[in-house]
Amino acid sequence: MPAELDSRTRPQLPPTHYLDNRIYTDPAVFEAEKDSILARTWRFVCHASEIPGPYDYRLVQVAGHELVLVRGKDGEVRAFYNSCAHRGARVVRNTAGTLEQGRMTCFYHLWSYDDEGRCTGISRPAGYRDTSVRKEDTSLRPVRVETLFGLVFVCLDDTACPLHEFLGEAVIEAMRTPFGIADLEVFHLHRTEIQANWKLFVETNYEGYHELLHLLNRTTGVAQQEYQERQWTNHQRGHVSFDHARISYGNLNYEQREANMMPGMKPNGHVVINLFPDMLLNCRSTVARIDSLMPLSPTRTLLECRGLGLADDTDTVRAMRVRHHNQVWGPTGINLAEDMWAVQAQMRNMENGSSRYSVIAREEEGPMDDSSLRNFYAEWSRLTGYKPHDLNAEQTSGQG
Amino acid sequence: MSEDIADQLELNRLVHATARYLDDRDFQAYLELYREEGSYTIVTKAPELPEPMVWMQRSRAELSERIDAMSEQEWEIAEVEQTRVVSVDLVEVNGGEANTSSSFALYHTGEEGLTSCYAVGRYDDCWEKATDSWKLLSRRVELKTRQLSMLSPLPI
Ligand code: FES
Ligand SMILES: [Fe+2]
């Protein structure tokens, strides 16, 4: 007789409390996620400090599209599809820089655009004399951009609600510490390709149960009695935040983080805020981290990690933040490596079908409750129309 | 053989020894190539940021402590066959001090026997002659590769 819970048999649990693992592998689900989530929600693309001056630009990827972000001479950040109105060539080809003379010139037939995306020049215009092609009516295709606390978000959906409504007051309030009090600056940025579905990595920041995986969290967090009072708060639209907690770095012989804290943070404090679908914000007292994801296929995800300090840090304080950042995060830190490894180990069994179901059934007052994951999947289901516990169930029309 | 040439050959040998000890996971022998106050840094430059990033900066003692304190998971993650191919292109000896500069490629071979290039970059090393042997005062690893398929606190 098969065991009742063996990763192959449908768990005897409420439908909200388990997952059909094909949500991680099915190409049709991935396409639906692209259309109804990745291209329809507000997505973090960079921090304002990465395009600080007039005419500074950045290329970013959203739902498979390449966008160019430009800070105009008026200080406003704008976003456009990086695709020439003439015949679709990539207009901007460098990852980052400053527009020369405030212009973007397409290399192919030399059409040019200004910092607001307006076409400023069509070469040999006489050839279009008898057509409707005029530079006055030509532009790069704009994309909605909103900035909150220096965090730049774009949304490919012209009909989506504004960013403030998408986040909601409670989430914005949670983000204020440490992002909304003083000017921050990105000092670290790296990408890593994870051989796993994007949601698996998101989940590592949406649940506290796997803190048992991390030597750091086991020793400096979970081991303390008071840590058990830490709670997840589930917000609207799948966003969550994880209460402030005090971390005992000394338990691992790490430096305490009691001086030069990020604005609003308590000594040795830790907060987590996750914005649906894939922006993960962490602050460990002296340093902040922002992760965002670029899902490439059902089984491959590009993770982008940033480390942030204060814009006016002295060299000594910045060096301390970099050190604290690298202790836990970054390519040589303890936690990121473990998370990446963990989700890749999961993915293998989901891909080959050995693992059909996952359990997200924990209910407890405390950090290891799974309600945050259930909150994520409720929103995921609302937008995609899929039932995450059963891919064979009839798909409703998603609202994304 | 002149003393200068002997030093050059010795430094060349030592750079390759750093690579060989890391390939062999002989961290004790690796760390013994450093002076007591020696330091190890990994830096890399991304087009999105104005300043190079520091991905790791540790003294010899801190490096040793970090390796000793690695979690079980970190050891398991790093359990991959490593092969460094190093080419020393500069050896400058100046009395009791020397600089060497080398390019390197680090290959990983998994359990299935599949090999891939994990990272390329440069080793910029400062050496000091202590009594009769050269010791590393600092190694600065400049990574060209910024997307690493495996993350680890072990020296590259
Ligand atoms: S495609 Fe850009 S000018 Fe022709
Ligand atoms: Fe984790």
Side-chain angles (χ1 to χ4, degrees):
Chain A
M1 204 176 99
E4 277 184 18
L5 191 64
D6 64 359
S7 90
R8 192 170 56 102
T9 317
R10 183 178 294 282
Q12 304 294 303
L13 290 165
T16 47
H17 285 45
Y18 68 96
L19 300 168
D20 179 335
N21 289 340
R22 290 174 301 172
I23 62 168
Y24 302 112
T25 59
D26 189 314
V29 170
F30 184 73
E31 286 308 312
E33 288 174 333
K34 271 214 291 209
D35 292 344
S36 61
I37 298 178
L38 305 177
R40 295 210 188 251
T41 50
W42 284 95
R43 312 281 306 287
F44 169 77
V45 283
C46 79
H47 187 263
S49 66
E50 295 167 57
I51 35 173
Y55 302 137
D56 285 349
Y57 68 84
R58 273 293 307 274
L59 292 184
V60 297
Q61 313 290 327
V62 175
H65 298 278
E66 185 172 72
L67 310 180
V68 54
L69 292 181
V70 183
R71 190 181 288 280
K73 63 176 172 301
D74 56 0
E76 203 63 33
V77 177
R78 295 179 180 82
F80 311 97
Y81 285 87
N82 188 22
S83 173
C84 182
H86 178 222
R87 298 186 65 182
R90 289 176 81 209
V91 177
V92 173
R93 270 109 38 223
N94 290 334
T95 306
T98 305
L99 298 181
E100 265 176 52
Q101 298 169 337
R103 291 270 158 82
M104 296 173 263
T105 301
C106 181
F107 68 92
Y108 210 170
H109 313 90
L110 311 184
W111 288 26
S112 59
Y113 303 89
D114 69 10
D115 55 326
E116 297 188 26
R118 293 176 296 224
C119 183
T120 51
I122 287 180
S123 31
R124 304 265 195 141
Y128 295 113
R129 205 168 28 213
D130 300 330
T131 75
S132 60
V133 175
R134 286 157 22 98
K135 72 173 183 190
E136 290 75 14
D137 302 327
T138 301
S139 67
L140 295 176
R141 183 174 158 200
V143 174
R144 294 170 74 188
V145 183
E146 289 199 42
T147 301
L148 174 72
F149 303 148
L151 308 168
V152 182
F153 293 82
V154 303
C155 182
L156 298 184
D157 181 2
D158 292 334
T159 66
C161 67
L163 178 67
H164 272 70
E165 196 179 321
F166 172 74
L167 297 174
E169 277 315 313
V171 171
I172 293 172
E173 213 29 60
M175 289 166 69
R176 195 176 297 280
T177 304
F179 296 96
I181 300 172
D183 286 343
L184 306 190
E185 186 174 81
V186 173
F187 62 75
H188 174 98
L189 191 155
H190 86 274
R191 297 186 188 93
T192 302
E193 190 177 314
I194 304 175
Q195 306 303 316
N197 184 270
W198 66 278
K199 298 186 292 301
L200 289 177
F201 190 82
V202 168
E203 290 169 17
T204 66
N205 233 51
Y206 260 77
E207 56 110 314
Y209 195 28
H210 89 291
E211 294 202 77
L212 299 173
L213 157 77
H214 296 301
L215 173 70
L216 175 92
N217 303 47
R218 285 198 308 267
T219 318
T220 66
V222 179
Q224 312 164 93
Q225 191 48 43
E226 67 172 75
Y227 192 83
Q228 311 316 315
E229 280 155 35
R230 194 176 196 188
Q231 298 270 1
W232 288 96
T233 305
N234 295 311
H235 302 282
Q236 56 132 21
R237 293 178 193 260
H239 312 307
V240 301
S241 54
F242 203 17
D243 280 355
H244 170 271
R246 193 181 55 81
I247 306 300
S248 298
Y249 290 98
N251 291 359
L252 256 191
N253 281 334
Y254 285 10
E255 243 170 277
Q256 297 291 347
R257 302 185 175 197
E258 293 168 333
N260 298 113
M261 286 157 317
M262 296 293 280
M265 290 299 294
K266 296 180 189 161
N268 298 309
H270 179 213
V271 294
V272 177
I273 305 146
N274 298 321
L275 307 187
F276 185 91
D278 63 350
M279 183 189 187
L280 316 169
L281 305 163
N282 271 272
C283 187
R284 282 182 174 270
S285 186
T286 46
V287 60
R289 163 181 172 189
I290 301 175
D291 285 6
S292 52
L293 299 173
M294 284 168 256
L296 303 172
S297 77
T299 56
R300 287 169 54 230
T301 303
L302 196 61
L303 165 69
E304 190 165 88
C305 301
R306 288 172 169 77
L308 297 95
L310 286 172
D312 60 1
D313 279 340
T314 62
D315 289 350
T316 321
V317 170
R318 179 59 61 84
M320 174 274 291
R321 296 199 202 286
V322 171
R323 192 167 67 244
H324 287 180
H325 173 272
N326 292 344
Q327 257 175 5
V328 182
W329 305 325
T332 64
I334 185 164
N335 273 24
L336 178 57
E338 292 177 345
D339 281 323
M340 190 170 142
W341 171 76
V343 299
Q344 291 183 161
Q346 258 179 308
M347 192 70 213
R348 277 171 82 119
N349 286 326
M350 292 174 174
E351 227 179 325
N352 63 27
S354 305
S355 172
R356 260 305 296 281
Y357 296 100
S358 294
V359 175
I360 52 167
R362 293 182 65 79
E363 292 187 25
E364 64 171 33
E365 298 274 306
M368 298 194 188
D369 181 40
D370 280 341
S371 66
S372 39
L373 288 172
R374 296 191 287 271
N375 189 35
F376 175 92
Y377 280 105
E379 181 65 2
W380 182 90
S381 181
R382 186 180 78 82
L383 295 180
T384 61
Y386 279 111
K387 304 277 176 290
H389 70 287
D390 186 0
L391 270 200
N392 294 338
E394 201 188 331
Q395 190 186 1
T396 56
S397 59
Q399 289 167 46
Chain B
M1 191 163 40
S2 77
E3 196 180 329
D4 193 47
I5 295 204
D7 281 335
Q8 297 223 5
L9 285 173
E10 177 60 4
L11 286 160
N12 204 296
R13 187 190 70 79
L14 285 168
V15 174
H16 286 93
T18 63
R20 182 60 197 267
Y21 288 143
L22 289 176
D23 286 353
D24 293 348
R25 303 170 148 255
D26 188 346
F27 300 111
Q28 193 170 338
Y30 175 77
L31 290 168
E32 275 165 17
L33 295 174
Y34 285 74
R35 285 201 60 134
E36 204 64 48
E37 69 275 30
S39 68
Y40 176 87
T41 312
I42 301 176
V43 296
T44 187
K45 174 83 182 79
E48 295 91 343
L49 299 181
E51 301 293 328
M53 289 175 269
V54 174
W55 281 7
M56 177 144 84
Q57 186 155 42
R58 293 183 187 278
S59 66
R60 169 184 153 161
E62 288 166 340
L63 199 54
S64 162
E65 206 179 305
R66 180 68 177 89
I67 293 171
D68 289 344
M70 271 170 66
S71 71
E72 235 176 273
Q73 283 83 0
E74 286 181 301
W75 282 117
E76 195 175 330
I77 293 165
E79 211 174 270
V80 62
E81 198 73 47
Q82 306 198 352
T83 308
R84 286 164 180 77
V85 178
V86 178
S87 162
V88 183
D89 49 52
L90 176 93
V91 182
E92 266 175 3
V93 183
N94 210 332
E97 288 180 9
N99 295 309
T100 58
S101 190
S102 326
S103 56
F104 72 89
L106 167 51
Y107 295 88
H108 278 181
T109 304
E111 264 182 341
E112 304 82 4
L114 203 65
T115 297
S116 58
C117 184
Y118 171 74
V120 297
R122 298 194 65 81
Y123 294 141
D124 288 314
D125 299 330
C126 296
W127 302 84
E128 211 172 58
K129 202 167 198 170
T131 51
D132 56 346
S133 64
W134 289 96
K135 293 276 184 195
L136 263 174
L137 205 49
S138 67
R139 163 158 288 185
R140 183 175 178 277
V141 181
E142 191 188 310
L143 274 183
K144 300 251 192 308
T145 306
R146 296 195 311 281
Q147 278 191 37
L148 299 172
S149 56
M150 182 270 277
L151 309 183
S152 170
L154 289 172
I156 286 176

